[in-house]
Amino acid sequence: MDGYLEWRAKLRPGESVLVLCATGVAGQLAVQLARHLGAGRVVAAGRNPRVLAGLPALGADAVVRLDQPDDALRGALREAAGGADHDVVLDYLWGHPTEVLISTLGSADMELRFSRTRLVQIGVMAAPVLSLSAEVLRSSGLEIVGSGTGNAPPAEVLARQLGRVLDLLADGGPRLEVSRVPLTRVREVWDLDQRGRRTVLVP
């Protein structure tokens, strides 16, 4: 998790971070780690309103409901960014939600400006493909990288990241929204991840 922020996104203290699919387990961890690593602003986006409501207590400065019409979602993402593009986006969704986000980054005017939005592609909860506008790439500072087995950080970086996670644990975190269910209900709850609830299966 730390590798997404440090190794791939190259997060610097004070920068802003948007987490797409922040209501999942990985997303909840990402919100807390972004804050722990010194992010200046953390925005959490997801579908589950109950989990979203708890994310400010975990470090989110703003939350965005993803299950709204595209125009409303664009407005909400812009408002949550606080007047500037996000420096880092951790994307566990891809597909249409990411397309909507990317559409907020481009500019139609001819004003010269410099900005960088480093989008780290991690998961495909929404879809494995998206449509990418060439115009947005030309008129924004969007940079897209992936995070997976083909670009893992070297051992010394992994060791440093583990140390930071241990520091977070020592500080009393991370905290997660979970529901405990018996293994006998595994068939019943198997699809709950897709709806934003998270479960821990116990005997």
Side-chain angles (χ1 to χ4, degrees), residues 145-156:
V145 297
S147 185
T149 55
N151 48 47
E156 61 269 20

Side-chain angles (χ1 to χ4, degrees), residues 41 79 113 130 176:
R41 183 171 180 80
E79 180 179 356
R113 58 173 59 85
L130 57 66
L176 297 172

